[in-house]
Amino acid sequence: MSLIEKVKNLFGFAPAEHHSSVEPTTDLPQNNESALITPKPTPAGPPPAAQQRERVIRLIVGRLRVYQNEPETAPVGLRLSILATDPEEEELYRVALWENQPGKFQNELNRQLADNYITLPKNWRFDYSFFSDELPESSYREGNLALAIADKSKPTSAPLRASIVALVGQTEQADYVLDPAQKTTYYIGRGHTTQTTSGRVRTNDIVILNEDDPGFDPQKGSGNGAVSRSHATIRYDMTLQRYALLVDAGGLPASGNKTKIMHPDDRIERADIANLVYPLQDGDQIELGGEVMLLFKLA
């Protein structure tokens, strides 16, 4: 390097060097189709349970339009029958009807009926049940739904009698006759009487023998101790002409207990929600505490 070039470099007069820049490249995968991920389509509309809820409400409101502005002749009860071919479909309807929130569906239905100028009596009743083979005879049918309307203007037939027999476990009587002409509520529990948390003395109508009761057989009644003293109640609805099981505090999981209904079509229904009405069918078996089994039969 000459002296002049050194001086130029010293004072910054040297020409800048030019470097060719190369843009970085990214190799794309050869098989672009396999690298692409197709997003799953988002279902349109409300969730399945909400759709079925709206369908049930439309059916009921539509069938009750004839009672618009006719509160004196309005129905006193509604009974919904649902044909469910598998447990998943049955569970869908249980969610749709807010089964774990007793009274919520009836309140929503009451609101929508009022919006359509349909006023039902203050204590109108609503219940539902599931069927796996065929729907029962009802006033109206739509697909897998059937609706029976209990109108106070229609003549009421004689109340249905039924019976309770112990299949497993020991009861005080060999069988119990349920006669709505005599009474409509029957208490089930271990022993004859017990005192509830409110202090009220409860007398059981269907007595599961306690170990200190006369006639107790340790072998036959070996599982009786699993039954609560205030386990469940069978109630007859005169309007809907139907028996139903209600689980009392002692028969609920919160008390460390359990109650089930084994239906004739092999469906198993867990009765574990307080104040919820579980309709009974002819031939149902009621399991108490996992040890005692009662057979419900219509006379």
Side-chain angles (χ1 to χ4, degrees):
M1 180 181 294
S2 64
L3 179 60
I4 296 175
E5 290 175 341
K6 290 181 179 180
V7 173
K8 287 181 178 180
N9 286 337
L10 180 63
F11 289 95
F13 294 110
E17 296 183 7
H18 296 282
H19 300 280
S20 60
S21 60
V22 179
E23 292 290 335
T25 60
T26 303
D27 292 334
L28 295 175
Q30 296 297 320
N31 190 358
N32 290 338
E33 293 183 1
S34 62
L36 294 176
I37 300 176
T38 304
K40 294 182 179 179
T42 303
Q51 293 179 16
Q52 297 305 327
R53 184 182 304 122
E54 288 300 318
R55 179 172 168 242
V56 170
I57 291 175
R58 281 199 308 270
L59 168 66
I60 296 174
V61 173
R63 295 304 181 184
L64 296 187
R65 288 193 187 280
V66 294
Y67 297 99
Q68 286 179 327
N69 297 318
E70 297 288 344
E72 293 81 9
T73 59
V76 293
L78 302 173
R79 183 169 68 242
L80 179 69
S81 299
I82 304 168
L83 183 64
T85 56
D86 54 61
E88 290 76 14
E89 186 176 15
E90 181 176 326
E91 183 63 22
L92 173 64
Y93 278 97
R94 291 187 187 279
V95 174
L97 295 171
W98 288 311
E99 182 175 279
N100 63 344
Q101 301 177 69
K104 182 175 180 179
F105 178 80
Q106 188 170 352
N107 290 337
E108 173 62 18
L109 182 57
N110 213 24
R111 184 185 68 80
Q112 297 213 26
L113 288 171
D115 288 345
N116 286 271
Y117 307 101
I118 303 169
T119 304
L120 301 186
K122 184 177 180 180
N123 296 321
W124 70 280
R125 304 294 296 273
F126 172 79
D127 74 350
Y128 59 91
S129 55
F130 293 94
F131 298 85
S132 61
D133 297 326
E134 60 180 359
L135 290 170
E137 292 296 327
S138 299
S139 304
Y140 305 100
R141 291 195 182 194
E142 182 180 292
N144 67 327
L145 303 177
L147 181 67
I149 299 175
D151 192 331
K152 59 185 177 183
S153 66
K154 298 176 182 177
T156 303
S157 58
L160 302 174
R161 298 178 68 189
S163 64
I164 290 288
V165 177
L167 299 178
V168 180
Q170 186 182 15
T171 53
E172 184 178 43
Q173 298 177 200
D175 64 274
Y176 292 86
V177 175
L178 311 183
D179 186 358
Q182 302 297 323
K183 60 188 305 183
T184 57
T185 300
Y186 297 85
Y187 296 117
I188 305 173
R190 179 166 48 87
H192 291 82
T193 60
T194 185
Q195 192 167 20
T196 63
T197 54
S198 65
R200 172 180 166 273
V201 176
R202 161 183 166 135
T203 301
N204 288 321
D205 301 287
I206 300 171
V207 178
I208 312 298
L209 285 180
N210 200 27
E211 59 182 4
D212 57 357
D213 286 332
F216 176 76
D217 183 339
Q219 184 175 1
K220 191 174 181 180
S222 59
N224 282 15
V227 179
S228 168
R229 292 182 179 274
S230 54
H231 200 107
T233 300
I234 292 179
R235 184 177 298 163
Y236 184 76
D237 190 316
M238 297 292 284
T239 301
L240 298 176
Q241 294 188 310
R242 170 169 292 188
Y243 287 93
L245 181 76
L246 293 90
V247 185
D248 299 323
L252 293 170
S255 300
N257 220 317
K258 55 185 176 180
T259 308
K260 297 179 184 178
I261 303 175
M262 317 287 190
H263 295 293
D265 57 7
D266 293 329
R267 287 185 302 113
I268 299 177
E269 185 172 12
R270 296 181 182 276
D272 53 9
I273 300 177
N275 302 318
L276 187 65
V277 174
Y278 295 92
L280 292 173
Q281 306 171 31
D282 182 39
D284 278 347
Q285 296 180 11
I286 305 169
E287 183 187 85
L288 307 174
E291 296 289 343
V292 173
M293 187 77 74
L294 304 179
L295 174 64
F296 171 83
K297 292 286 292 182
L298 290 175

